[in-house]
Amino acid sequence: MPTNKMSSALAAACALMLSACGGGGSSSDTPAPPVTPAALTIGGTAATGAAMAGASVQIKCAGGSGSATSATDGSFSTSITDAALPCALSATSSDGKTTLRSVAPAGTATSATANITPLSEIIVAQVAGGDAGALFSSFDAAAQAKLSSTNVASAVTTVAAALKGTIDLSGVNPLSDALVATGGGKTGNALDQKLDALGAALKAGGSSVADVAAALLANPGAPAVVQTLLQPAATSCAALRSGKFHLLDAYDGERPVSLATVDASALTVKEADGTILTFAPVSGSACAYTAGDGKVSAYVAKSGVIVVRYLDDAATARAALLVPDQSVPLSEMAGTWNIAIYGIDEFGGPAAPYFSVQTLDKTSLSTAGADCVGLNACESWIPRATDIFTVDTTEGGFTHADDEGSGRLFPVKTATGQIALFGMLFDTQKRPIGLVFFSKQTALSLPTVGAVDNFWDMQVNSAGIAQAVADTQTTIQSVDTSAGSYTRIRTSDGRVDGFTLNKPRDGMRYRAAGSSVGTNGKTITFGATLNTPLPGMGLTVYSSLTTDAATNFFGISIGKP
């Protein structure tokens, strides 16, 4: 018998209904109402300090996405069907010049606040462990997994610590706290004022939100690096920033190590005895200054370290360093360091160069060490329990003391995470022995043929007299990759010399004694040197290989920023 297609269809439909057909129900029963899909409501304020009016806000959440346009006061709100936390947000200003990101962490709530500001951009970069924009763009399972409430809260705490001294975020959550931005007839609230303060600090320091975010990622344990980045910078030199500095002056018998205060806006340095030096920029030479009626000259490296030459009289001048005060944890000391020293020996003779190698653990305890002479193999020594540095909570930096003397070291970290240590050594009578420089043992890379290097060069002889600073330019002439060496030519006189990299140790370079014919046709001779570049600092320290008081010397080269 033929199948009744209509009856079959009706039976199938009945099977899908909640009350069965022919099972005692009535055709007049009302069907169950459709289930309403879940929705997530998300809103906040987009602002840079001033409201981002008319900004295009894009929102990506677990399970759904949406968009909104901010009002004149920067506020926005939207509901996204079938969406759940976590969410990532992006706001682009109406002129298309500014894009900032924010997040709402994972949770079970059906509504969330996620302000989009420069602070949220820094926080998102911290959560992402990199580019905030990449986290928003992908928003895949890996990106969503980073947005746990714990991770986001930790990032907020880290950013607050880094910005301490610029803005106070104690007890503040920039992502979810109420934000009233200036705009649309409204006056900004306390959180908005913090955004204004951050913006002012960025402008004064010549830095960007991206600079701060990157510096924080590169220096997770040293928020002082970000704090340095937010200090006001001189208009004549971006590397010269306001703040506390450690003045290291080995030939100042009264205060070989002291604190000084730099005001980059006023171009002044106030020394510990109250002396105020006012810097005057050297015409045509950014980051070079004179002070004290020409008796003081100063050169600022890109790391902010300042090399100073004090002219005491017509025949005597001394070299000193102004090192930015940074609070860096002892764990940053872990690693193997090249150490260059220029100072007197235990018998009080003339100054001479000394080199050593030391390996420190994360507590700064020495686990290995060796003294080194020239190109000879280093002579190892057995570390002692006293071979450890401690944090100086009063004057900053690290201290070390044993029965042979003591030392003060001051760390400088760059925004990219490179570190060097600058310090002073003392004998058992607390008399200064000389300057000391620590640089981590990292292999150097060969330069490129044709590369030009511009720097200031200052040499100090064995009597401690700093010679006049030379404004120097060199050009890489040739590179030998198999030998790991290169030659360069000096613009001023045509002298050609050369270096072998990572000799005698990684992170150092050696120049053999030699001679070349200069542009005037005369032969120019030069001695052997060992150079220790301080990566990221814009500084290289070097010494002659002779300890003969008549000919030995120490030098500092300051790369022009």
Side-chain angles (χ1 to χ4, degrees), residues 147-195:
L147 298 182
S148 68
S149 58
T150 300
N151 285 350
V152 175
S154 176
V156 170
T157 299
T158 298
V159 171
L163 298 181
K164 186 178 181 181
T166 301
I167 56 175
D168 184 4
L169 292 176
S170 302
V172 176
N173 187 329
L175 300 177
S176 59
D177 284 1
L179 171 59
V180 178
T182 301
K186 295 183 178 180
T187 300
N189 66 355
L191 180 52
D192 185 62
Q193 291 168 12
K194 295 180 189 296
L195 294 176

Side-chain angles (χ1 to χ4, degrees), residues 375-400:
L375 301 182
N376 300 327
C378 296
E379 184 177 342
S380 298
W381 42 264
I382 300 174
R384 297 167 297 182
T386 55
D387 292 321
I388 189 169
F389 289 89
T390 58
V391 174
D392 188 326
T393 56
T394 303
E395 297 185 3
F398 307 135
T399 60
H400 172 273

Side-chain angles (χ1 to χ4, degrees), residues 237-241 245 286-289 298-308 321-322 324 412 414 422 456 534 536-540 556-561:
C237 177
L240 178 59
R241 296 182 180 275
F245 282 69
C287 298
Y289 299 90
Y299 307 86
V300 186
K302 68 178 183 179
S303 56
V305 175
I306 307 171
V307 179
V308 184
L321 297 173
L322 280 164
V412 174
T414 69
F422 303 81
W456 298 290
L534 308 178
M537 299 295 123
L539 293 163
T540 295
I556 303 177
S557 293
I558 309 106
K560 293 185 177 181

